[in-house]
């Protein structure tokens, strides 16, 4: 098989594994996968707290983020506040009721990373993360060009 096909197959497998790992958290807390991703993004990226930040950095369609945000607000897992300097900006903050789901997601993410790098030396992990970041940056650059 060609290396390009191996890369795509590998990426799909990694995403499928992550989806499978997140599913019990979604079920336990009554969340959709997008809702869990929104909570996780906000918890893991302090200062990046608008729907636009989520859309741009997670590459999730705006409609999906908006729907997830509204649902999380109804579930009292998220609050929104208008920016005092720029009234057009709406900041999103997980509530304390979201702490359980966020902690569970962080455990999933840590276990997932540990499983993917099992048997790697610390140097190999560092190199892997560096190369992964470069691949992601290349992909982002191509998205912006097209």
């Amino acid at each position: 098989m060609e290396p390009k096909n191996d890369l795509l197959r590998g990426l799909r497998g990694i995403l499928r594994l992550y989806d499978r790992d997140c599913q019990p958290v979604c079920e336990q807390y009554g969340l959709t996968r997008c809702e869990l991703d929104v909570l996780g993004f906000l918890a893991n990226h302090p200062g990046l707290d608008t729907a636009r930040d989520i859309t741009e950095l997670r590459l999730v369609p705006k409609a999906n983020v908006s729907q997830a945000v509204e649902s999380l607000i109804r579930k009292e897992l998220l609050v929104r506040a208008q920016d005092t300097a720029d009234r057009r900006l709406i900041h999103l903050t997980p509530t304390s009721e979201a702490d359980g789901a966020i902690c569970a997601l962080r455990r999933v993410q840590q276990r997932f990373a540990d499983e993917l790098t099992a048997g790697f030396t610390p140097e190999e992990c560092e190199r892997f993360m560096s190369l992964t970041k470069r691949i992601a940056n290349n992909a982002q650059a191509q998205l912006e060009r097209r």
Side-chain angles (χ1 to χ4, degrees):
M1 186 167 285
E2 288 185 37
K4 292 176 186 173
N5 290 338
D6 287 346
L7 175 64
L8 291 175
R9 191 180 73 223
L11 290 172
R12 286 185 185 119
I14 291 168
L15 291 173
R16 191 174 301 127
L17 176 63
Y18 186 68
D19 286 342
R20 193 174 294 162
D21 285 354
C22 287
Q23 190 57 40
V25 177
C26 291
E27 290 172 6
Q28 180 180 357
Y29 291 95
L31 300 171
T32 66
R33 181 56 201 286
C34 191
E35 291 169 349
L36 184 64
D37 286 345
V38 166
L39 289 176
F41 179 90
L42 293 170
N44 292 331
H45 298 88
L48 298 173
D49 61 358
T50 68
R52 184 178 190 170
D53 292 331
I54 298 166
T55 299
E56 289 179 359
L57 293 173
R58 290 280 310 189
L59 303 176
V60 179
K62 184 178 180 180
N64 294 18
V65 173
S66 295
Q67 184 177 10
V69 165
E70 291 305 317
S71 179
L72 289 167
I73 289 169
R74 281 193 306 276
K75 293 176 182 181
E76 299 181 353
L77 298 174
L78 196 64
V79 292
R80 62 177 144 217
Q82 195 170 42
D83 189 278
T84 55
D86 183 348
R87 297 177 53 128
R88 295 170 297 175
L89 288 178
I90 304 295
H91 299 283
L92 305 170
T93 306
T95 65
S96 59
E97 287 81 8
D99 288 350
I102 291 168
C103 287
L105 176 60
R106 285 183 170 152
R107 285 191 300 272
V108 164
Q109 289 172 334
Q110 185 60 57
R111 185 182 70 235
F112 179 75
D114 291 345
E115 290 172 349
L116 289 185
T117 58
F120 285 25
T121 66
E123 295 78 21
E124 288 172 326
C125 286
E126 192 174 307
R127 183 77 174 141
F128 170 73
M129 292 309 297
S130 172
L131 292 171
T132 300
K133 197 175 283 190
R134 285 176 57 192
I135 290 170
N137 288 341
N138 288 346
Q140 184 63 37
Q142 289 302 316
L143 283 171
E144 290 170 4
R145 281 190 198 123
R146 296 177 187 182

